[in-house]
Amino acid sequence: MSASPQHENTHEHLRLLAGNLDSGALSKIEAQLNELHPAEIANLLESLPLQNRRIVWELTNPELAGDILVEVNDEVRLGLIEHTDEDDLVAAVGSLDTDDLADIFEDLPKVVLHQVVRAMSNQDRRRLQSVMSYDEDSAGGLMNPDMVTIRPNVDLGVVLRYLRQRSELPANTDKLFVVDRDDRYLGILNISDLLTTNSKESVSNTMITDQKALLPTLSANEVALFFEDYNLVSAPVVDEDNRLLGRITVDDVVDVIRDEADRSLLSLAGLDEDDDMFAPVTRSAKRRAVWLGINLFTAFLAAWVIGIFAATIEQVVALAVLMPIVASMGGIAGSQTLMLVIRGIALNQIGTTNARWLLWKELAVGSLNGILWACVVAAITGFWFQSQSLGLLIGVALVINLIVAALAGATIPLTLKKMNIDPAIAGGVILTTVTDVIGFFSFLGLATVFLI
Amino acid sequence: MSASPQHENTHEHLRLLAGNLDSGALSKIEAQLNELHPAEIANLLESLPLQNRRIVWELTNPELAGDILVEVNDEVRLGLIEHTDEDDLVAAVGSLDTDDLADIFEDLPKVVLHQVVRAMSNQDRRRLQSVMSYDEDSAGGLMNPDMVTIRPNVDLGVVLRYLRQRSELPANTDKLFVVDRDDRYLGILNISDLLTTNSKESVSNTMITDQKALLPTLSANEVALFFEDYNLVSAPVVDEDNRLLGRITVDDVVDVIRDEADRSLLSLAGLDEDDDMFAPVTRSAKRRAVWLGINLFTAFLAAWVIGIFAATIEQVVALAVLMPIVASMGGIAGSQTLMLVIRGIALNQIGTTNARWLLWKELAVGSLNGILWACVVAAITGFWFQSQSLGLLIGVALVINLIVAALAGATIPLTLKKMNIDPAIAGGVILTTVTDVIGFFSFLGLATVFLI
């Protein structure tokens, strides 16, 4: 009867599983998997190399297969689907919620889809179409049509009896949606108010009318910020005519926040959060090659700038020794501004009104740090190469590059955002190209003019 | 009666506010603020430069001040507290929930704390002490002692009557906690089951006993993964003796996930997610200077490596032109592995068991891409400088550096994790130090041996 306080994490599950895989104790693996929730099994599958992943997938309880497919990332899902019989797939995804089915719809083989859709009720089919008509990363794509609606003109006792007639409520039902005869959204009745208010009271007197509803076109990021701001468990989605389409629940919002976090982190390195950590070597290599190729192009651009000043370097080889310092300091300073602005954009905290303020501030910070570190670098350089003029030169180049870095770090993400390009993906590459080129050009250019 | 479907985001609030601030329409600002939720006002305050922030703060409804202080980030909070009268502060934070008060406790002036604690009931004071005895980033620090507990031996009708006697339930109450006489956790009664089950049934027959409880020492990150896996709205926290201490609700978990995402993104650039975007220039400059200083040290290390080969560069100036390519490609390839491993560690998906697999995979990917891009770079270089041996040289150096990059990208974060250092903060700096040093050393070293 007593519940176990021991919550074990993926780490521990993984260790246990690896031991059983090594010793080939398949029945032990089955027993271990039976203790786990679909999301935990999904995590485990993502953490396993391909061969082991297949073994574990085959030992998984087929009843959980549908939910596991929803939880794993896109590439892992495709791999698992490839290794599952069509009949098993139909059974696995046939029982999924409409919004979950919509999420994985396009990954499923046509034959399977055909069978699943044919077995659906007309209502479910309409719901699926409705969810799938919206972008996956929008309120419409996140919403679930499965919810409890009530009319305003009944009393709470009627609502309680109505709920008791149902054997269960949709998951995360913290509120009921009050609609009129035409399904127009009027307000919400919180379950907690239903429980604490006299059952003779009417719904219209108990309901809350100032809970804002979301339009289906709102981006998933905006939905997440909305849930964060209002500490919501669920929120209604309505169309332009205020007709209730469905609701979004916090469990899906949590996934949105996690996915976006993963995306902005990984996209800095040109990676996709939906890639499989254990994808075959050739596939991973191919994917990453693209990013390396883009960066190679910018590296050759920098090399070309250095090449312009080859004759100068030939005369003063110290320039070659010192030039990476100017470029690298610019890159670091610029990325500080860049990250700050990328985060501000993601949180909706930077708009045209305060962008100018921020730019001035970043320029001031860049100048101050430029001057500070220019002095340090000039002193060390002067001492190292016994040349005050070389020290002065690198100092001036550093100030220039740090100011340019602040300017680039602030304007690049804002410009990309305006062009509807994710600043996290392209921002870093463009920034380092700018700071490398300006860094090398200012330092070597100044040297050519004043030193030779 | 009809609810507005229009949800406006911070962006639009900000634009409106900026207009009113410019025209000095203070009453309009007050009216605008009255429409907003504390979290939205907090967002707005974070988005405003210092002077405007103070104006808006003074126009804010004092009743919301406490909740706003909880929502803003640490540095902004300190600034707001500095500009608030002590009496107003006492009034503002006196009505906060225990867990919220605990979060901002250490930021408040001693005089204010003294008054607030004195006005508390004994029970609330004990609760505050209990929450504050745990680390802020642990289950104990996240939990709220405010929850509804019931006994197993009553029937559901009794529970319903008990709830009706309360005027309201704690926010996000999706389940009641069943405890024995000694407050030992026995299981949960879902509100949805309470609503759909016959009221003659007993709690013990309706409750769920397999919902795992969390220990207060569990890290906030683990709590977040647990909520994500199980799609929870709330979860119980128990001590070693299985005694119920409190509950964690999903709204706090959402904040944890957002904060961690911000932290890992910003810490890559040596920034803190609790810093104020509009902090005074000197303060921001000082903070960022530390990070620039650390990177300057590693840049000088790279320069020193180049310096060793100054004589070689003097003879073949093309080496100076090409050397940044080797270093930069290593840095990019390494950061791809680094990001993947950092994410895997954060999701608990990488342990000792699969780390070796991953290392081999990354080495294979690094080698493949090394060879591919070595060929491209060798061809371009050979053509550019009309020298096959220079092309061969840079190709070999590139393969070496990409393999080292894969090795470093995989092992650095795992090692830092073992040393309890956040891999996102230090990982990038160490990685680029390695790839710069090895890149310059291998290319210039090979050239010294084979070219001169």
Side-chain angles (χ1 to χ4, degrees):
Chain A
M1 169 88 76
S2 88
S4 152
Q6 289 298 328
H7 156 63
E8 288 180 336
N9 64 30
T10 316
H11 227 87
E12 292 154 55
H13 295 316
L14 197 61
R15 210 174 26 129
L16 201 62
L17 192 65
N20 290 332
L21 279 165
D22 279 348
S23 61
L26 299 190
S27 61
K28 277 194 193 161
I29 296 178
E30 256 188 301
Q32 188 194 350
L33 292 173
N34 275 332
E35 299 271 299
L36 299 179
H37 189 269
E40 291 175 309
I41 300 177
N43 255 326
L44 269 183
L45 289 170
E46 289 183 351
S47 312
L48 289 173
L50 296 182
Q51 205 184 346
N52 287 341
R53 187 182 293 164
R54 255 165 242 162
I55 297 174
V56 172
W57 178 238
E58 274 172 25
L59 294 172
T60 302
N61 180 352
E63 283 176 27
L64 303 180
D67 287 319
I68 294 172
L69 286 176
V70 172
E71 296 280 350
V72 291
N73 75 34
D74 291 2
E75 193 178 3
V76 175
R77 181 185 308 127
L78 285 173
L80 294 177
I81 287 174
E82 220 171 87
H83 290 89
T84 314
D85 290 340
E86 278 168 13
D87 290 347
D88 292 345
L89 273 179
V90 172
V93 304
S95 56
L96 285 177
D97 284 347
T98 322
D99 58 335
D100 289 337
L101 180 59
D103 284 346
I104 67 166
F105 199 83
E106 281 168 16
D107 296 337
L108 294 166
K110 285 228 170 75
V111 198
V112 173
L113 286 181
H114 190 73
Q115 286 191 55
V116 170
V117 172
R118 210 175 44 189
M120 275 178 152
S121 70
N122 277 331
Q123 194 199 23
D124 279 348
R125 213 173 295 150
R126 266 201 312 275
R127 284 176 166 184
L128 182 66
Q129 272 175 340
S130 151
V131 174
M132 289 199 60
S133 67
Y134 299 105
D135 186 281
E136 202 188 338
D137 289 324
S138 70
L142 287 173
M143 78 181 176
N144 192 330
D146 193 19
M147 60 191 162
V148 182
T149 57
I150 51 174
R151 291 288 164 77
N153 52 351
V154 296
D155 66 32
L156 300 186
V158 173
V159 176
L160 283 170
R161 279 197 298 281
Y162 167 65
L163 294 182
R164 188 138 298 140
Q165 277 164 20
R166 304 176 61 125
S167 60
E168 58 176 350
L169 300 182
N172 292 335
T173 296
D174 67 320
K175 50 179 73 100
L176 310 178
F177 299 95
V178 188
V179 292
D180 69 11
R181 199 180 284 266
D182 296 321
D183 245 8
R184 282 207 176 75
Y185 169 63
L186 300 175
I188 56 159
L189 176 66
N190 280 317
I191 293 286
S192 57
D193 292 334
L194 176 63
L195 287 169
T196 55
T197 311
N198 190 311
S199 59
K200 297 279 192 313
E201 269 296 349
S202 72
V203 167
S204 57
N205 281 338
T206 318
M207 72 181 184
I208 289 166
T209 54
D210 64 354
Q211 152 101 52
K212 284 174 189 157
L214 305 170
L215 290 173
T217 48
L218 197 72
S219 76
N221 183 32
E222 294 274 356
V223 172
L225 293 173
F226 182 71
F227 268 73
E228 283 173 60
D229 281 353
Y230 287 86
N231 292 337
L232 296 175
V233 170
S234 68
V237 179
V238 299
D239 67 12
E240 301 276 348
D241 296 328
N242 207 21
R243 243 180 280 262
L244 190 64
L245 298 172
R247 64 176 190 137
I248 298 176
T249 49
V250 69
D251 51 319
D252 290 329
V253 172
V254 166
D255 291 342
V256 167
I257 301 174
R258 172 68 73 180
D259 283 353
E260 285 199 351
D262 285 351
R263 190 181 308 157
S264 52
L265 191 69
L266 293 176
S267 63
L268 290 173
L271 300 167
D272 189 314
E273 94 276 10
D274 267 322
D275 289 348
D276 178 0
M277 192 161 63
F278 286 104
V281 171
T282 45
R283 200 191 298 163
S284 292
K286 216 161 123 188
R287 254 188 320 235
R288 301 210 206 149
V290 180
W291 191 246
L292 285 166
I294 295 170
N295 279 280
L296 181 62
F297 176 76
T298 78
F300 265 113
L301 203 68
W304 172 73
V305 173
I306 301 172
I308 298 175
F309 302 102
T312 312
I313 294 173
E314 220 156 14
Q315 290 181 54
V316 188
V317 77
L319 296 174
V321 176
L322 294 168
M323 66 185 185
I325 294 174
V326 182
S328 131
M329 289 292 277
I332 297 292
S335 74
Q336 295 194 314
T337 305
L338 183 80
M339 293 293 193
L340 209 70
V341 176
I342 287 179
R343 206 257 306 234
I345 291 175
L347 295 182
N348 256 328
Q349 290 190 335
I350 298 182
T352 41
T353 42
N354 58 356
R356 242 221 255 127
W357 272 94
L358 196 63
L359 178 61
W360 281 118
K361 197 206 132 173
E362 290 299 316
L363 282 175
V365 172
S367 312
L368 262 182
N369 266 318
I371 294 166
L372 168 70
W373 291 109
C375 295
V376 174
V377 173
I380 298 177
T381 302
F383 183 76
W384 186 2
F385 293 95
Q386 292 297 318
S387 159
Q388 281 191 346
S389 49
L390 192 61
L392 189 67
L393 249 161
I394 194 169
V396 174
L398 211 59
V399 174
I400 294 175
N401 207 24
L402 259 67
I403 292 176
V404 170
L407 190 68
T411 52
I412 290 170
L414 289 167
T415 313
L416 288 173
K417 177 74 188 172
K418 259 191 204 148
M419 297 162 70
N420 266 322
I421 301 172
D422 183 353
I425 298 181
V429 186
I430 302 179
L431 176 79
T432 43
T433 308
V434 172
T435 51
D436 276 0
V437 167
I438 300 293
F440 291 134
F441 193 86
S442 60
F443 181 48
L444 298 175
L446 285 170
T448 307
V449 175
F450 294 104
L451 217 60
I452 307 294
Chain B
M1 169 89 78
S2 89
S4 153
Q6 290 300 327
H7 156 64
E8 287 180 336
N9 63 32
T10 317
H11 226 86
E12 292 154 56
H13 295 315
L14 196 61
R15 210 174 25 134
L16 200 62
L17 192 64
N20 290 331
L21 278 165
D22 280 347
S23 61
L26 299 190
S27 61
K28 277 194 192 162
I29 296 177
E30 256 188 302
Q32 188 192 351
L33 292 173
N34 275 332
E35 299 270 299
L36 300 178
H37 189 269
E40 290 175 309
I41 301 177
N43 255 326
L44 270 182
L45 289 169
E46 288 182 351
S47 312
L48 289 173
L50 296 183
Q51 206 184 344
N52 287 341
R53 188 182 292 163
R54 256 166 241 162
I55 298 175
V56 172
W57 177 238
E58 274 173 24
L59 293 173
T60 302
N61 181 351
E63 284 177 26
L64 303 180
D67 286 320
I68 295 172
L69 286 177
V70 172
E71 296 280 348
V72 292
N73 75 35
D74 293 0
E75 192 177 2
V76 175
R77 182 185 308 128
L78 285 173
L80 294 178
I81 287 175
E82 220 171 89
H83 290 88
T84 314
D85 289 339
E86 277 169 12
D87 290 347
D88 291 347
L89 273 181
V90 173
V93 304
S95 56
L96 286 177
D97 284 347
T98 321
D99 58 335
D100 289 338
L101 181 58
D103 284 347
I104 66 166
F105 198 83
E106 281 167 16
D107 296 338
L108 294 166
K110 285 228 171 78
V111 198
V112 173
L113 286 182
H114 190 72
Q115 286 192 55
V116 170
V117 171
R118 211 176 43 189
M120 275 180 151
S121 70
N122 277 333
Q123 193 198 23
D124 279 348
R125 214 173 294 152
R126 265 199 314 275
R127 284 175 167 187
L128 182 67
Q129 272 177 338
S130 151
V131 173
M132 289 198 62
S133 67
Y134 299 105
D135 187 280
E136 202 187 339
D137 288 324
S138 70
L142 286 172
M143 77 181 177
N144 192 329
D146 193 19
M147 59 189 163
V148 182
T149 57
I150 52 174
R151 291 287 163 80
N153 52 351
V154 296
D155 66 31
L156 300 185
V158 173
V159 175
L160 283 169
R161 279 197 298 280
Y162 167 64
L163 294 181
R164 188 137 298 141
Q165 278 165 19
R166 303 177 60 125
S167 59
E168 59 176 349
L169 300 182
N172 292 336
T173 296
D174 69 319
K175 50 178 71 101
L176 310 177
F177 298 96
V178 187
V179 292
D180 69 10
R181 199 180 283 267
D182 296 322
D183 244 9
R184 281 208 176 75
Y185 169 63
L186 299 174
I188 55 158
L189 176 66
N190 280 316
I191 293 286
S192 59
D193 291 334
L194 176 64
L195 287 168
T196 55
T197 311
N198 190 309
S199 56
K200 297 279 191 316
E201 269 296 350
S202 72
V203 168
S204 57
N205 281 338
T206 319
M207 73 180 184
I208 290 167
T209 54
D210 64 354
Q211 153 100 53
K212 284 175 190 155
L214 304 170
L215 290 173
T217 47
L218 198 73
S219 76
N221 182 33
E222 293 274 356
V223 172
L225 293 173
F226 182 71
F227 268 73
E228 283 174 57
D229 281 354
Y230 287 87
N231 293 336
L232 296 175
V233 170
S234 66
V237 179
V238 298
D239 67 11
E240 302 276 346
D241 295 329
N242 207 23
R243 245 180 279 263
L244 190 64
L245 298 172
R247 62 177 191 135
I248 297 176
T249 50
V250 70
D251 51 320
D252 290 329
V253 172
V254 165
D255 292 342
V256 166
I257 300 175
R258 172 70 71 180
D259 284 352
E260 285 201 352
D262 285 352
R263 190 181 309 160
S264 53
L265 191 69
L266 294 176
S267 63
L268 289 174
L271 301 167
D272 189 315
E273 93 276 10
D274 267 322
D275 289 349
D276 178 1
M277 191 160 66
F278 286 104
V281 171
T282 45
R283 200 191 300 164
S284 292
K286 216 161 122 189
R287 255 188 318 235
R288 300 209 206 151
V290 179
W291 191 246
L292 285 166
I294 295 171
N295 279 281
L296 181 62
F297 176 77
T298 78
F300 264 113
L301 202 68
W304 172 73
V305 173
I306 302 172
I308 299 175
F309 303 101
T312 312
I313 295 173
E314 219 157 13
Q315 290 183 54
V316 188
V317 77
L319 295 174
V321 175
L322 293 168
M323 64 186 187
I325 295 175
V326 183
S328 130
M329 289 292 275
I332 296 292
S335 76
Q336 294 193 314
T337 305
L338 184 79
M339 293 292 194
L340 210 69
V341 175
I342 287 179
R343 207 256 304 235
I345 291 175
L347 295 183
N348 255 328
Q349 289 190 336
I350 297 182
T352 40
T353 43
N354 58 356
R356 242 221 254 127
W357 272 94
L358 196 64
L359 178 62
W360 281 118
K361 198 206 132 173
E362 290 301 316
L363 282 174
V365 172
S367 312
L368 262 181
N369 266 318
I371 292 167
L372 167 71
W373 291 109
C375 295
V376 174
V377 173
I380 299 177
T381 301
F383 183 77
W384 185 1
F385 293 93
Q386 293 296 317
S387 159
Q388 280 191 347
S389 48
L390 193 60
L392 190 67
L393 249 162
I394 195 171
V396 175
L398 210 58
V399 174
I400 293 175
N401 207 22
L402 259 68
I403 292 176
V404 169
L407 190 68
T411 52
I412 289 170
L414 289 167
T415 313
L416 288 172
K417 178 75 188 168
K418 262 192 203 148
M419 296 163 69
N420 268 322
I421 301 172
D422 183 353
I425 298 181
V429 186
I430 303 181
L431 176 79
T432 43
T433 308
V434 172
T435 51
D436 277 2
V437 167
I438 300 291
F440 291 134
F441 193 85
S442 60
F443 182 47
L444 298 176
L446 285 170
T448 308
V449 175
F450 293 104
L451 218 61
I452 307 296

